[in-house]
Amino acid sequence: MLRDLAKPGDERLTARLEAFGDLVFGFSLSLIALRLDIPSRVDEILEPARWLTVIVTFALICRFWLEHHGVFRHRFIVGTPDLVVNFAFLFGIAILPYAVQTFLSFEMQLVSFSLYLGDVILILTTLSFLRVRSLRQRRLDPDEESRLRDWRRSVAQLSVAILTTTLLAVMHRRGADFRTDLRVFGGYGIPGIVVIALLVRRAVRRLPAFLRAEQ
């Protein structure tokens, strides 16, 4: 059925899919703001952990919207795989407010922490897939510098997703005190992932053969 809907060159489907994505992003941003429940005590109004989580998540959703728009602005033609992956991407965006709410309600629980990071991993992975598919369609685009930037971004985001998944798996396997693991993750894990992703991005010097025009 999806194959019948995603016909090659169907620009109307692509436009409607992008518009639907904008709706999902808009609802998610609104729901994030609603995660700031009225606290029971005055001294909890400006609680740093709660505000930081909401602000960071709001910024992530805005960034993901820009990245998603970047995929579609190059006349991206949606195929069946793209349709499925795009819905998976939007699912990740849609449940992000729920992941934030559970993380705020159960701050020092590995399950809620895993749900939040797992959702971000899903978003990064599906977004990278869509961008690479877009790059495949842009092989004849003479602006190779722009295409190389997008390829580097995809490689970096996939590296972040893989490294974060590995760290989460290690934390689950250890089964140690989560508070200790969380301090280690925040103090060493996040900076390490960022540094590795930046190094990987800088190491990419050219587009792979499958993203270049055939000679």
Side-chain angles (χ1 to χ4, degrees):
M1 183 177 181
L2 286 177
R3 187 182 299 275
D4 295 333
L5 291 175
K7 296 179 181 178
D10 190 347
E11 295 186 1
R12 178 172 171 78
L13 172 63
T14 302
R16 293 197 65 186
L17 199 61
E18 187 175 10
F20 176 68
D22 289 341
L23 287 175
V24 174
F25 275 102
F27 279 119
S28 294
L29 287 172
S30 300
L31 290 174
I32 286 295
L34 294 177
R35 296 309 94 193
L36 290 171
D37 300 326
I38 298 177
S40 57
R41 301 198 310 269
V42 174
D43 57 348
E44 294 179 347
I45 293 178
L46 297 178
E47 185 181 2
R50 181 175 296 271
W51 276 97
L52 181 62
T53 302
V54 170
I55 291 172
V56 169
T57 305
F58 190 94
L60 282 175
I61 293 178
C62 292
R63 179 63 186 181
F64 291 146
W65 180 85
L66 288 172
E67 298 269 356
H68 190 251
H69 171 69
V71 171
F72 281 83
R73 71 186 177 93
H74 293 286
R75 298 182 63 82
F76 181 51
I77 303 301
V78 177
T80 302
D82 313 309
L83 191 64
V84 174
V85 173
N86 190 72
F87 282 137
F89 169 79
L90 293 178
F91 171 77
I93 295 295
I95 68 170
L96 198 51
Y98 173 75
V100 170
Q101 180 65 23
T102 55
F103 180 67
L104 292 175
S105 300
F106 308 99
E107 288 185 28
M108 294 303 169
Q109 298 294 324
L110 180 56
V111 175
S112 61
F113 182 70
S114 299
L115 175 62
Y116 184 80
L117 283 189
D119 192 26
V120 174
I121 290 169
L122 171 64
I123 292 171
L124 289 176
T125 304
T126 51
L127 181 61
S128 297
F129 176 88
L130 291 172
R131 189 184 297 109
V132 172
R133 291 278 294 182
S134 173
L135 286 170
R136 284 276 294 170
Q137 296 180 14
R138 295 167 55 199
R139 283 174 294 176
L140 299 179
D141 187 345
D143 189 358
E144 185 170 337
E145 183 178 348
S146 173
R147 290 188 291 131
L148 180 57
R149 282 198 304 269
D150 287 344
W151 171 241
R152 285 172 174 164
R153 188 176 295 115
S154 297
V155 172
Q157 289 179 349
L158 280 175
S159 300
V160 170
I162 293 171
L163 291 171
T164 305
T165 301
T166 303
L167 283 177
L168 276 179
V170 170
M171 293 171 72
H172 277 274
R173 186 176 181 83
R174 277 168 45 84
D177 179 47
F178 176 62
R179 294 173 183 267
T180 302
D181 282 347
L182 187 59
R183 284 195 293 269
V184 173
F185 183 86
Y188 300 98
I190 294 178
I193 289 174
V194 172
V195 170
I196 292 174
L198 290 175
L199 290 175
V200 168
R201 183 168 178 169
R202 289 180 63 87
V204 176
R205 299 292 184 180
R206 58 181 299 183
L207 290 166
F210 75 96
L211 294 181
R212 297 198 302 268
E214 296 180 1
Q215 302 297 326

